[in-house]
Amino acid sequence: MVALNADGLVRESQAIGVAQVLRTQVVSGPSGVVTLAELQFYRALKGVKRHDTMLVQVPGGELIPGRETRVDGAPKLKAGQMFLGFFHEHGGVMKPTALSYGVMPVVSNADGVFRVLQRHGGLRFVEPDGRVSSEGPIRVHNRPLDEVLTLFQGVIDAQRPPLEPGVQP
């Protein structure tokens, strides 16, 4: 996978926010075994509003108890999980942008502060110079959620087209 920086991840995503998985269902279809997850957004940055729900699809899942289809780099979504998610529409379906790179778990640590984790699920990234690495250019592991949201809000704001003179926001 080509390593996206923060600007690229935001540009490629139609929806960005902090969401919780309400429920999941694993199904088998023309594209193989996939997990459908219903999300609810609690913090909205782009393309969604607070309390919006969205159905997303990720490759893989456990269709039959004890038999799981795994796809390297795909996030595993389970009811109750909270994460900072980046999503794009592909073929009429919302999917995580850059697989697990676009799904950053959010946890509350012993200090009571919500923190962002990064788990890439086996993804390997191709850097601009051709090197392969297990880390992408966005490194926010174990940083406070508010700090990470501020970083991405700044990127979103920078990508907005400028207003025409005399136009009020």
Side-chain angles (χ1 to χ4, degrees):
M1 173 165 292
V2 174
L4 293 173
N5 60 18
D7 186 64
L9 188 59
V10 167
R11 188 177 336 94
E12 296 296 322
S13 300
Q14 281 91 37
I16 303 171
V18 177
Q20 185 170 30
V21 179
L22 299 177
R23 65 187 124 274
T24 63
Q25 179 183 9
V26 179
V27 297
S28 180
S31 58
V33 175
V34 297
T35 298
L36 302 174
E38 183 181 3
L39 313 178
Q40 184 168 31
F41 287 85
Y42 294 98
R43 301 273 297 267
L45 296 180
K46 178 182 174 184
V48 289
K49 294 181 180 135
R50 189 169 189 240
H51 302 300
D52 278 359
T53 58
M54 175 188 293
L55 187 66
V56 300
Q57 178 182 300
V58 297
E62 188 174 355
L63 188 59
I64 300 169
R67 297 192 61 184
E68 182 177 19
T69 300
R70 293 184 193 162
V71 176
D72 282 345
K76 293 180 184 178
L77 302 180
K78 295 181 181 172
Q81 284 179 315
M82 187 183 318
F83 56 84
L84 171 57
F86 299 77
F87 303 96
H88 70 282
E89 189 250 327
H90 181 76
V93 179
M94 294 302 283
K95 297 181 177 186
T97 304
L99 293 173
S100 60
Y101 192 58
V103 176
M104 302 174 186
V106 173
V107 298
S108 177
N109 287 350
D111 60 5
V113 174
F114 285 99
R115 295 184 177 277
V116 174
L117 305 178
Q118 287 181 292
R119 298 184 180 128
H120 300 310
L123 281 179
R124 296 288 179 253
F125 300 94
V126 178
E127 301 290 343
D129 63 6
R131 289 180 302 114
V132 176
S133 75
S134 60
E135 285 189 56
I138 302 171
R139 294 187 174 95
V140 295
H141 183 71
N142 207 30
R143 287 176 54 187
L145 174 62
D146 287 339
E147 181 182 315
V148 176
L149 292 177
T150 298
L151 175 136
F152 283 109
Q153 187 63 60
V155 173
I156 292 165
D157 292 345
Q159 289 182 3
R160 282 198 183 106
L163 292 174
E164 292 183 30
V167 175
Q168 296 292 325

